[in-house]
Amino acid sequence: MTQAPELPPLSPATRERRQRVQSAETGMAVLKGLAHLGGRSSLTALSAHVAESPAKVHRYLASLMEEGLVLQDAVSQHYYLGTEAIQIGLAAMRQADPIRAAEPCLVRLRESLEVTCFVAVMGNKGPTIVRFEEPGLPVTVNVRAGSVMSMLWSATGRAFLGLLDESRVLALAEQELAESPEDMRATLDAKDPIGQLRREVQEARCASVKDTYLRGISAVAAPVYDYAGRVCAVLTALGATGGFDPAIDGPIATAVRQEARAASAILGHGNGRGA
């Protein structure tokens, strides 16, 4: 059996570079571990979280404290994120854009499910489509980027209505209810039409409609949350009712919720653990 040729020894400069890289990786692991633990932790808990010895983690914490990224409580001796870490977080949050975060999610939904999908945000007149994706064989619908969706009859509007707790959202829904035809109002709960819709969405954490907004079209929608836990956008998938499963626990709704969680994680919701 032939032996593998021996590799030449690393030069001192190469070893030093590798050590610096490994040191930086460990330091970032400690900093991210502190963030994942809520931004404040004891040395013991943090060490267990990053799977390193307390002595090693303490050394890195000392370096992070010198840079203002970590501070230590004089009473509890717990470590917490410092001013410089907060500034980094604020800069990242200022760049957080739900449209940009949702774009790859829309592409994945379009390609994996071959459905029409879009992301909408709340505008002055209601839920407004800001990005629209269609499969190779699109479903003919009269909505595009810029279209304002119904608060009551679209899955998109219902997702905002149920999960975005703002007075203007409720006001738009009440106005639309008052202006809706009697036969459409009859499809809602007689005693508390808006309240019942909201409770259903809150329980499912998404919304589903079948032939209510556009005849022959079904849709499911799920919320995208920002770092503060506020609904900042809604992802929606739609298709022809005959070949589209709008069930809340169906594969399409499951995929839409998963992609909405992915977009939320990009925006800092739940420290990347999803909604």
Side-chain angles (χ1 to χ4, degrees):
M1 179 181 293
T2 59
Q3 292 184 340
E6 293 186 3
L7 296 175
L10 296 175
S11 68
T14 300
R15 285 198 300 270
E16 183 180 354
R17 282 196 300 271
R18 287 192 178 181
Q19 289 171 354
R20 286 202 302 267
V21 169
Q22 292 172 351
S23 179
E25 290 175 348
T26 304
M28 291 303 100
V30 170
L31 189 61
K32 289 191 293 185
L34 189 57
H36 289 166
L37 291 173
R40 189 182 188 93
S41 174
S42 67
L43 176 60
T44 301
L46 181 56
S47 300
H49 183 80
V50 300
E52 298 284 0
S53 70
K56 184 175 182 178
V57 172
H58 183 268
R59 290 197 301 271
Y60 282 95
L61 285 170
S63 297
L64 293 170
M65 289 174 66
E66 290 179 3
E67 298 299 326
L69 292 166
V70 172
L71 297 173
Q72 186 177 26
D73 188 294
V75 177
S76 67
Q77 298 300 302
H78 284 191
Y79 295 91
Y80 60 96
L81 295 176
T83 305
E84 293 300 322
I86 293 173
Q87 292 303 318
I88 293 172
L90 289 173
M93 287 186 294
R94 283 193 291 269
Q95 297 181 47
D97 179 356
I99 302 171
R100 183 167 55 188
E103 284 178 347
C105 302
L106 292 178
V107 172
R108 287 193 294 267
L109 285 173
R110 181 199 67 197
E111 294 182 349
S112 63
L113 300 177
E114 296 186 346
V115 296
T116 298
C117 51
F118 59 82
V119 59
V121 298
M122 272 302 299
N124 293 333
K125 297 181 179 180
T128 305
I129 298 176
V130 291
R131 180 65 188 270
F132 197 89
E133 289 284 344
E134 291 182 302
L137 296 174
V139 175
T140 302
V141 291
N142 59 346
V143 293
R144 286 293 184 269
S147 297
V148 177
M149 307 297 288
S150 164
M151 287 298 311
L152 293 178
W153 312 113
S154 72
T156 308
R158 290 184 178 185
F160 277 116
L161 178 61
L163 300 168
L164 181 57
D165 191 16
E166 290 187 0
S167 58
R168 67 183 179 120
V169 173
L170 185 58
L172 286 169
E174 290 174 342
Q175 178 182 351
E176 187 174 346
L177 181 65
E179 297 172 353
S180 295
E182 185 176 349
D183 60 333
M184 295 188 72
R185 293 201 302 269
T187 63
L188 303 178
D189 183 81
K191 295 182 179 180
D192 187 14
I194 293 178
Q196 181 60 29
L197 272 181
R198 296 189 68 195
R199 287 188 289 272
E200 290 174 359
V201 173
Q202 289 164 3
E203 180 179 355
R205 309 305 293 177
C206 70
S208 170
V209 298
K210 182 179 180 180
D211 299 330
T212 59
Y213 184 53
L214 299 171
R215 187 172 298 277
I217 298 296
S218 295
V220 293
V224 176
Y225 296 89
D226 64 15
Y227 67 93
R230 176 182 176 276
V231 175
C232 59
V234 165
L235 283 184
T236 301
L238 61 84
T241 295
F244 185 97
D245 178 11
I248 292 299
D249 57 352
I252 295 177
T254 299
V256 171
R257 283 197 298 267
Q258 180 179 341
E259 292 297 348
R261 286 194 295 268
S264 300
I266 293 173
L267 296 174
H269 178 61
N271 288 329
R273 292 187 293 273

